[in-house]
Structure formats: C-alpha cells, structure tokens
Amino acid sequence: MKRMEQVARLLTGVLALGAVCQWGVVCAAADDLLQNPGFEAVAGGQISAWSTPEYWSGTLASVEDSAVARSEKRAALLTSAPKAGKHWGRILQRVRTGSLTGRRFCYSLWARGEGEFLLGCIEYRSPEKFKPHYRYRWQPEPVVLKEDWQEVRFEFSVPDPEVRSLALVAEVRGEGGEALLDDASFVRFQEPGFSINVSPSHAMVAAGGACDFSILVEKNGKPVREGELGILTLIADKAPVSTPAEISTDGVTVHQFKASDDLATGIHRLVIAHPASGVVADCYLDVTDRETWDEFAAAAQRAKVAPVPAHLLFIGDSLTDQQRGYNYVDKLAFWLRRSQDSAGLTYSNAGVGGDYISRVWQRMNGDPASYRLNMYDDLFKPRPTHVFFFLGHNDSKVSSRSGYSVQCVDPKTFEEEYRLAVKKVQRETGAKVIVISATSSVFEICKANADKRQAAGIDNSLFGKPQELEKFNAIARRVAAELGADFVDVYEPTRTHPDKPGLFNPRDGVHLTNEGNRFIALELLKYFGGQ
C-alpha cells in the first residue's frame, strides 16, 4: 500500500468530518486565508492574487459593476475556451496555510452563469525523481450554474504528511461556459474556543531513549477532561503509526514517544488531533546518537538563565526563520527548559527570511512600508529578558551588478543601524542583548551558484564571501562591545568545523541543516554555561 493511502486511512478515524451544516457555520466565522477573496483588487487590469496560467485554458477578467457583483463593486468573469478537445477555463491561487497534516479546510465561492462549475485544490509535495510532485483533488460532482448566485463548497482534509503546500482552483466547463465569481473564502475548520498545547513542542531524544509529551486541550481557557485524541507518529521511511488516546480526567494527557535503538537520527514528527473540535497541533522530535545527546545534556547542566522566569526573543534572517518548530531556537529552548533554574522559560522567534539590518531597523520603528511588518507586532510582549540578534548573512552579500564588490548594506550603514537597534532594545526593554556573528558558509557552493546564474545572464547575489563575512562580523563584535552587549562567535567554529559541509544546505551552502541547527543551539547553550 502506498504511503499516502496508509496515512489517509490512519487519519480517517482521527479526523472524521463533522456534519456539513456544522462545518459551514464554523467556516463563516473563521479567519479567511485567501488574498483578494472578493476580486476587488485589480492591478494593471489583472485581478490580484488570482491567475490563469498560460498552460491552462480560459480567460479571467474583472467586471466592475455593482449591479453585477454579488457584493461591493467588482466580480470576476471566468470564461471557457477550447483546449485538448474540451472547453474549459481554470483559475488558481497559491495559499499559505502553515502546517497542513491532518487539518480540515472549507473552500467556498459564489458563482452564477452558464455551464458546469467545480472547485478543487492542488497538493504539492517535495520533488522526487520520476514522480509527480503534485496531485489534483476535485469536488465529486460539478455544479450546474444558474442565473442566480449559488454558493459552491469544497470541504476536505489533508491527511498526507508529505503535502507541503496548496493551491486552490476553480473551473468552468462546457462550450460557451461563463462563470461570474464573487466572495470566495478559504478557512481552516476549527470549533471556536478550542486549542491544543503540547509540551515540549520540540524535543531531542537519544536513540534508545524516550520522551514524555504533555497534551492539554482547552475550551475557552479551561481544560477539556473527557473525549479522545488521535496521535499520529510520522517516522521517516516507515509506515505512520496512529494511536488513539483518552483525554485524562485531570486535563493533561501524557504520551510517551520511545525511540528504538535502530531509529534513524534526524527530525520526526507527531500530529496530535482533537476530532471533536478539529484542532490539530504538531510537535517535532530530533533523534540523536548517544554522544550528541550526552554533549547537550552536559552543556545544559551547566547553563544558568537569570532572571527567572526568562523570556528569550530572537531577531534574525532566514537562518532563524526557516525550519520553525525544530530549528536552533527550539532546540535551545528545549534544553534550557530542562534546567530547574529555567522553569517557566518562554521564547519568541521574530526571524524574517531575507532580512538585513536596514529591514530590521525599519520594522522596529513600525514603518508601514516595511517588508513583513506584522512579524514585529507586539515585538516586546511579553517583555524579553534576553534578545538575540543573528544577522549579517544578507547584509554582507555582494551583487553581480557591481562586479561582486558592493554589499547589500554598506558597512557604515550596517554599523549605524545595528547600533540603533541594540540601543532601542536596551532602552525599551532593559533586556540582556546577545549579538551572534554570522556563520561561515560553504563558499564553493555559493560561488558555483553565482557563476551559473551569471553565465545565464541573470543578475544575482553572491553569499558567503569570507572577507565580507569577516568584515561584517568585526563590526557586529565592536558594536556589542561598545554597547555592553554579549557577543557569541559562531563564524570561526563553523569555518573550522571538521564536517563543515554537513552544517549547511548542500544546494545553497548558506542555510542550516538539522546538524547546523544543532550546532548553533549547542553554542548558545554553552554561552549560558559561561563557556
């Protein structure tokens, strides 16, 4: 049996769909995940966020007429066209949903016109040689369009843990097919007021060892003390294991994960579902060899965090933003929380992919033009006791347009804005500031990627140039020293690491692998131990 089919069957009992009428009520009240759901935003004559790729069929046009639209001023007109012996037209929108496995969704759209109409989605997986990386899923039957508006709904779950992202599609069929569209919606199904908290949300476990996870389901802030949970264990290259569990009468249900001696090291995953509410939570397991576990345990034993309770805030670029849930931030928090002195420790990850100091400083000041401004919403809530800056990878990159001689941020600006950002944190929070150097990179990979793009005539940036990284790290060290902040050097330890390539993504030589995230977490754990 194929892995996808196994997972689907295992999750059927865990995530049984509720009655359609109940689900529909929740859909209407939930947060919409679509961009431009009412087709009101138009740029350059094109409807924003929705598209009809050239390799598909049909046309999409904006209709600006409040008498035609179902609500507000505009609607969309999707028209079929002949292709491959059929008449059809199709639109799509890529959506950001966060974690997908086990989650339930409702996609709806109001339509009227002529022809048949149906909704669907495209599930995308990681590319694999000789295998398609996507799959279409459609409503069982199309809807016959009428003169009056009717709501078309597609309700589905995503049981396959290999699905990484979704696109939503809508299609009109038939010669002369035309569909006026308005008021689309795409929401996660979840009963209001429910939540699941799993502690730890990330754990490192030695092969042959075990870890207990405490699961708390709450409704309106109060523990749920009866019912059932579904726990799906997803182990790489093995069939998933589904485990039903009765919710404990005291509200806290304990699930133990046991790592067999022969279990592959690396990241594995638990999906915890509460079928009655549709709430799903994920947690991640990093299975290590015994030597790695012992090294972390020894460093954690020496680590001291003060004051207690502590709140750690991490400001960084993609090395902080990527692999959320199991990156260096999560690993560090797991080990610090094992220390009795760090009971009650919390943390916030404010990493933003692509960041450099100018973006950080702009966003810290609430500039409406800031890239991903919302990532710093309530940045200092709760009030942090420790703030980490982990930057320099993007600041120090050099552009092909300048012959690889001009940095993304000039050194003078880097120093000025780094100084301003650190001072702002110190002034407004009183927190201890820790400046982390940029890591080294596998420059051979960075250079090969840049050369390839250059040969193709594509403007590009060169990351990881040693002399640039060292220049910017020296500035960061100086800023930290002059402002009374601590400085943690991870550049030299990564530059001289005996298995340096194993720390970095083999495709780009810059981003961290799981081994790389372990390494940074261990260096920061040693920092808390005074090493």
Side-chain angles (χ1 to χ4, degrees):
M1 183 182 294
K2 295 180 180 179
R3 177 179 172 83
M4 185 177 69
E5 293 171 344
Q6 290 176 318
V7 177
R9 291 184 63 181
L10 285 165
L11 275 170
T12 298
V14 174
L15 300 164
L17 298 182
V20 172
C21 60
Q22 295 175 338
W23 193 348
V25 170
V26 177
C27 283
D31 292 333
D32 202 326
L33 299 173
L34 284 176
Q35 299 180 64
N36 196 20
F39 305 98
E40 296 295 323
V42 177
Q46 302 296 314
I47 297 175
S48 301
W50 300 89
S51 64
T52 299
E54 292 183 0
Y55 49 84
W56 282 356
S57 181
T59 58
L60 178 66
S62 175
V63 178
E64 186 174 1
D65 187 340
S66 58
V68 173
R70 181 175 179 270
S71 64
E72 299 189 63
K73 297 179 179 180
R74 291 187 176 97
L77 178 63
L78 177 61
T79 305
S80 69
K83 189 166 187 177
K86 298 179 180 179
H87 289 78
W88 55 288
R90 185 186 299 164
I91 58 171
L92 96 164
Q93 180 178 147
R94 294 293 292 262
V95 289
R96 292 186 176 184
T97 61
S99 178
L100 284 164
T101 305
R103 299 195 184 275
R104 296 156 62 182
F105 297 95
C106 176
Y107 172 30
S108 66
L109 203 155
W110 288 82
R112 66 185 179 94
E114 296 183 8
E116 294 184 331
F117 184 76
L118 75 167
L119 302 178
C121 70
I122 308 173
E123 298 177 337
Y124 295 94
R125 298 165 181 77
S126 297
E128 190 174 346
K129 195 172 184 179
F130 305 124
K131 290 185 178 180
H133 71 284
Y134 62 89
R135 182 181 74 137
Y136 283 85
R137 295 177 62 187
W138 295 99
Q139 291 176 289
E141 297 292 337
V143 171
V144 177
L145 294 173
K146 301 175 182 178
E147 185 178 345
D148 295 329
W149 288 105
Q150 59 182 314
E151 186 180 24
V152 184
R153 305 168 65 84
F154 178 38
E155 301 169 355
F156 63 97
S157 62
V158 183
D160 183 0
E162 295 176 0
V163 175
R164 296 290 181 263
S165 62
L166 292 174
L168 300 179
V169 293
E171 183 171 299
V172 63
R173 296 176 178 176
E175 187 172 359
E178 289 187 338
L180 272 170
L181 310 176
D182 208 348
D183 299 329
S185 173
F186 181 60
V187 297
R188 279 188 287 263
F189 165 70
Q190 179 177 318
E191 290 285 352
F194 279 87
S195 64
I196 296 180
N197 180 273
V198 183
S199 181
S201 57
H202 174 58
M204 293 178 67
V205 186
C211 181
D212 288 342
F213 291 87
S214 297
I215 305 167
L216 174 65
V217 181
E218 291 184 313
K219 181 178 181 180
N220 298 325
K222 296 181 179 180
V224 174
R225 302 181 186 276
E226 61 181 5
E228 188 175 78
L229 296 170
I231 302 171
L232 188 68
T233 306
L234 304 172
I235 302 296
D237 301 322
K238 289 190 177 182
V241 177
S242 180
T243 307
E246 291 293 327
I247 294 177
S248 174
T249 55
D250 65 4
V252 179
T253 306
V254 177
H255 174 75
Q256 185 174 76
F257 173 82
K258 295 181 179 179
S260 60
D261 292 324
D262 61 346
L263 185 61
T265 59
I267 297 296
H268 306 287
R269 184 172 162 207
L270 294 180
V271 179
I272 295 95
H274 181 235
S277 66
V279 180
V280 177
D282 296 306
C283 58
Y284 296 90
L285 299 145
D286 185 4
V287 177
T288 74
D289 54 52
R290 176 54 63 177
E291 182 180 0
T292 300
W293 168 268
D294 289 342
E295 187 175 14
F296 270 94
Q301 192 171 21
R302 295 187 292 270
K304 303 293 180 183
V305 182
V308 175
H311 180 74
L312 280 52
L313 170 63
F314 295 83
I315 295 174
D317 51 32
S318 55
L319 276 70
T320 302
D321 192 16
Q322 288 188 359
Q323 302 174 64
R324 284 177 179 265
Y326 55 95
N327 67 13
Y328 78 89
V329 175
D330 307 287
K331 296 181 195 301
L332 174 64
F334 168 73
W335 286 102
L336 289 178
R337 283 171 169 171
R338 292 176 64 87
S339 167
Q340 183 177 355
D341 292 339
S342 299
L345 180 141
T346 58
Y347 66 98
S348 301
N349 184 338
V352 179
D355 252 11
Y356 41 86
I357 190 61
S358 298
R359 280 183 172 179
V360 169
W361 180 236
Q362 183 185 28
R363 199 180 299 113
M364 287 181 76
N365 286 286
D367 187 335
S370 300
Y371 172 68
R372 292 178 69 184
L373 177 62
N374 66 301
M375 289 298 292
Y376 281 14
D377 286 349
D378 297 324
L379 183 66
F380 298 148
K381 293 181 181 179
R383 191 179 186 91
T385 57
H386 302 73
V387 177
F388 294 81
F389 285 90
F390 189 18
L391 297 164
H393 308 92
N394 294 305
D395 309 74
S396 61
K397 68 183 180 181
V398 287
S399 169
S400 62
R401 293 182 178 181
S402 66
Y404 301 116
S405 62
V406 176
Q407 305 93 344
C408 174
V409 180
D410 70 86
K412 181 180 179 181
T413 301
F414 180 76
E415 180 166 356
E416 290 175 352
E417 293 181 336
Y418 217 134
R419 203 177 287 275
L420 289 168
V422 171
K423 284 183 177 180
K424 183 178 179 70
V425 168
Q426 292 173 327
R427 181 176 64 253
E428 296 188 13
T429 72
K432 181 66 178 177
V433 174
I434 304 94
V435 174
I436 309 171
S437 74
T439 66
S440 180
S441 298
V442 184
F443 185 60
E444 296 81 2
I445 297 175
C446 300
K447 182 67 164 57
N449 287 339
D451 288 346
K452 185 177 180 179
R453 293 186 177 92
Q454 183 80 348
I458 303 172
D459 289 333
N460 62 88
S461 295
L462 175 60
F463 290 84
K465 197 173 181 180
Q467 54 266 45
E468 297 295 346
L469 285 169
E470 290 165 11
K471 180 190 302 180
F472 279 72
N473 282 336
I475 294 171
R477 183 190 290 271
R478 182 168 64 249
V479 169
E482 293 178 2
L483 297 181
D486 287 349
F487 184 81
V488 178
D489 179 18
V490 296
Y491 176 80
E492 195 62 20
T494 52
R495 186 185 73 82
T496 59
H497 193 278
D499 183 26
K500 177 179 177 178
L503 303 179
F504 298 98
N505 187 312
R507 294 188 297 274
D508 59 42
V510 176
H511 296 102
L512 299 171
T513 60
N514 188 49
E515 286 291 340
N517 277 297
R518 287 179 185 170
F519 186 82
I520 301 301
L522 185 59
E523 291 297 302
L524 295 179
L525 200 56
K526 291 177 180 178
Y527 158 77
F528 280 107
Q531 294 177 255

